[in-house]
Amino acid sequence: MKTSIKITLIIVLVFSTIVVKAQDPHFSQYYASPLLLNPALTAMHDGEFRVAANQKSQWKSISTPYTTSAVTFDLPVGRLGLGFLAINQHAGEVSYNNLNLLGSASYIVSFGKYGYGGLSFGLQAGIIHRSLNLNDAIFDDQFDGVGGVDPSGPSNDAVQMGSKTLPDANAGFLVFDGNPFARANVFAGGAIYHLIETDESFTNSSGFNLPKRIVAHAGVRLKVNKGLEITPMALFMTQRKAQEIALGLTTQFNLNAPGTSFLLGGNYRIDDASIIHAGLIIKDLAIGLSYDFNTSTLTPATNSRGGLEVSLTYTRKRTIDNPKFICPRL
């Protein structure tokens, strides 16, 4: 990469991580990281326990890749759901790192004539630890005005610290039709993230509080026949001035081999990316793969290339079947 371009990107990345009101890390396969999508999805599965891992790398074509990784664990204990999640984002030339560690819990209430309806409430609490390497940062007052730059020169920039730890808390709800005999199962939920708006800046000045993230999601699982299920779904997220609207469809083909399914589908994040995804379920293990094609204003720089994402989910099945509704996931 040319030096001038690299320097410009460093400035942009430093500015975005220190000053700009940033957006939380997220996945294209959001349904494969349920505890990140909504605390109320904690332990929403029919297994003894569930372990999930997600990895995404994006924007490799224009700078140091942005990588987002997550690991979650959850299990049902009666009407309670208990879990834990760790999310880490590493970004840019200044090694910006964002680590989120959270405990997660949910409680489910059944309703309806046969108790197939469900209403789940979820809470999460933990910390966010953010850091960056100031030795790799270049600020505007280190330019000499004639095209040169001295990274070791003094700077009057307001950055006073290279790391910061914040408390964090989230809450959400989910309502769903869990009738195992119905051809259509509707589900919808919402969540609020960062209920504690503490100062997130790397300076000693105030005024850059961690903004709340509001999430709404919904869908319906349609059982066409024994071998085919179709799930249209929608996601809306907003965080200060950042907004995401995603519309998608997942098709699940249940194969002749017991416990084996193939998934194929796509999502479109409006003014951001077109996404294709595929998955394979073999008994307790689900594998998902997706790719983003950039459609945002970054398209000229990225040549429409976005990010590759992989998900792995292991759900230890119960020895006795419990035919309740499961929210769609890879």
Side-chain angles (χ1 to χ4, degrees):
M1 180 182 292
K2 291 183 178 179
T3 302
S4 59
I5 298 176
K6 191 170 184 177
I7 290 172
T8 301
L9 285 170
I10 291 172
I11 295 170
V12 171
L13 291 169
V14 171
F15 185 79
S16 65
T17 56
I18 296 172
V19 180
V20 173
K21 300 155 188 176
Q23 184 180 7
D24 281 356
H26 64 282
F27 291 104
S28 296
Q29 297 178 51
Y30 58 85
Y31 39 80
S33 188
L35 274 67
L36 181 58
L37 174 65
N38 189 337
L41 287 167
T42 304
M44 288 298 295
H45 56 83
D46 61 351
E48 295 180 3
F49 65 85
R50 174 176 59 186
V51 181
N54 306 74
Q55 172 75 24
K56 182 172 186 174
S57 178
Q58 61 189 125
W59 297 348
K60 185 177 181 179
S61 59
I62 61 173
S63 183
T64 303
Y66 278 47
T67 58
T68 307
S69 308
V71 176
T72 64
F73 172 84
D74 60 339
L75 76 166
V77 183
R79 290 188 175 274
L80 284 175
L82 301 175
F84 172 83
L85 66 154
I87 311 139
N88 192 73
Q89 184 183 44
H90 190 80
E93 302 283 355
V94 292
S95 299
Y96 173 72
N97 204 79
N98 185 96
L99 175 64
N100 202 180
L101 302 174
L102 293 162
S104 191
S106 67
Y107 183 80
I108 186 170
V109 177
S110 299
F111 62 88
K113 184 176 180 180
Y114 300 102
Y116 289 140
L119 178 61
S120 174
F121 301 94
L123 291 172
Q124 293 174 343
I127 62 167
I128 299 173
H129 180 74
R130 292 177 173 173
S131 63
L132 54 83
N133 186 357
L134 295 177
N135 293 327
D136 292 336
I138 299 176
F139 301 97
D140 58 353
D141 54 2
Q142 292 173 324
F143 285 84
D144 61 13
V146 292
V149 62
D150 181 10
S152 62
S155 173
N156 295 319
D157 194 274
V159 179
Q160 282 98 20
M161 62 192 77
S163 66
K164 192 160 190 176
T165 301
L166 313 172
D168 196 23
N170 314 313
F173 76 93
L174 176 76
V175 60
F176 62 89
D177 171 20
N179 187 346
F181 307 107
R183 285 193 171 272
N185 295 109
V186 178
F187 56 94
I192 301 178
Y193 284 76
H194 313 314
L195 295 172
I196 306 171
E197 290 194 6
T198 54
D199 186 359
E200 65 170 338
S201 69
F202 286 99
T203 73
N204 291 326
S205 62
S206 59
F208 295 101
N209 288 342
L210 179 64
K212 289 184 175 67
R213 175 165 61 97
I214 298 174
V215 179
H217 59 99
V220 55
R221 186 173 70 169
L222 304 171
K223 302 171 189 174
V224 179
N225 53 48
K226 186 177 180 180
L228 179 62
E229 297 178 9
I230 299 175
T231 305
M233 47 194 170
L235 171 69
F236 171 80
M237 290 198 299
T238 182
Q239 188 173 21
R240 250 182 207 153
K241 295 183 179 181
Q243 180 174 292
E244 177 178 319
I245 301 174
L247 305 173
L249 180 73
T250 296
T251 304
Q252 178 171 326
F253 303 92
N254 299 318
L255 308 180
N256 291 330
T260 304
S261 301
F262 175 70
L263 300 101
L264 187 65
N267 286 282
Y268 177 63
R269 286 199 303 264
I270 295 175
D271 295 328
D272 185 27
S274 296
I275 304 151
I276 57 172
H277 64 255
L280 183 64
I281 299 174
I282 305 175
K283 295 184 178 179
D284 294 357
L285 181 65
I287 304 169
L289 185 68
S290 65
Y291 191 82
D292 295 14
F293 294 93
N294 198 310
T295 60
S296 71
T297 52
L298 277 177
T299 299
T302 63
N303 294 318
S304 297
R305 288 177 289 181
L308 178 67
E309 185 173 313
V310 179
S311 68
L312 296 172
T313 304
Y314 176 82
T315 307
R316 176 68 178 271
K317 300 298 185 184
R318 297 179 183 271
T319 54
I320 300 175
D321 288 340
N322 180 21
K324 71 176 184 179
F325 170 66
I326 309 303
C327 286
R329 59 175 177 80
L330 283 181

